Amino acid sequence: MDVCRVWVKLDRAFVLQESFTPVPSQTSRGVSSQRRIRLFLDFNVLTGGIVSPWGLDKAALSLCAARLCRLVLAEVVRDEVEENLLLHAERLSALDADELIDHYRRLIKLTGPEIVPYPATGLVESSRHLIRHAADVPVLLSAMASKPDWLLTHTTKHFTQAVANRTGLRIATPAEFFRTLSSLLR
């Protein structure tokens, strides 16, 4: 199957033809009455978890797929991930590209992510002062709107402690998140 048939280009963003139904934010219901930790993943953590055979990015996705944590997925992040997956898939054989796309689809189905819409253009423009890199403003605003327990990213040059202090977000790398999680289990 040709990768181009799997993806459709819509206004400079690539979106899977097979869509999924957004799941509204809500407390998890199940065996435990405790709510799940809500993880807002930046595109680099989400992409890394999808394309890497192992690692902490994949471990964070596994927590979400097992529904131990709740994936908070911003539309702006989703679009960047899908564009990056398309670029990655172009370098793979047709069979491997199909498998990559299938893994992404399955991840979305397993996690049942909480979808965060794009922030308004005017808000993006007026919030430019919040973070050093202009391209990160929509991601930051999406995280602020969703109020996750953690924002996981590898872009710590942009998503700094000063940004965390200004926004009230708990920003960390996956390694920092797992160190904290591990300390709670001791």
Side-chain angles (χ1 to χ4, degrees), residues 6-149:
V6 177
W7 297 86
V8 176
K9 188 172 180 182
L10 298 173
D11 296 328
R12 298 174 32 196
F14 294 93
V15 182
L16 283 175
Q17 285 180 341
E18 180 181 304
S19 63
F20 55 90
T21 305
V23 178
S25 174
Q26 61 185 12
T27 302
S28 116
R29 293 184 189 100
V31 176
S32 171
S33 64
Q34 293 184 344
R35 79 176 177 84
R36 292 182 280 169
I37 295 171
R38 295 173 60 248
L39 300 179
F40 183 106
L41 304 183
D42 195 4
F43 87 95
N44 48 37
V45 175
L46 192 51
T47 303
I50 294 166
V51 301
S52 297
W54 67 278
L56 295 178
D57 295 344
K58 188 167 285 297
L61 289 180
S62 295
L63 288 175
C64 295
R67 302 220 175 181
L68 298 173
C69 291
R70 179 74 189 260
L71 175 61
V72 179
L73 181 59
E75 289 178 342
V76 64
V77 170
R78 181 195 61 203
D79 290 348
E80 191 166 358
V81 166
E82 291 177 0
E83 187 173 338
N84 280 297
L85 289 178
L86 177 62
L87 293 172
H88 185 76
E90 288 174 351
R91 296 188 308 260
L92 301 174
S93 69
L95 185 61
D96 289 340
D98 287 345
E99 187 175 346
L100 176 68
I101 301 306
D102 288 341
H103 286 173
Y104 174 69
R105 284 182 178 154
R106 180 160 183 197
L107 172 72
I108 295 302
K109 286 179 183 175
L110 286 173
T111 60
E114 174 185 329
I115 304 300
V116 182
Y118 271 91
T121 304
L123 183 59
V124 171
E125 292 168 359
S126 68
S127 301
R128 177 62 188 93
H129 66 282
L130 290 174
I131 194 163
R132 188 172 113 193
H133 194 252
D136 290 326
V137 174
V139 175
L140 183 63
L141 290 174
S142 295
M144 291 169 61
S146 65
K147 296 178 176 67
D149 297 306

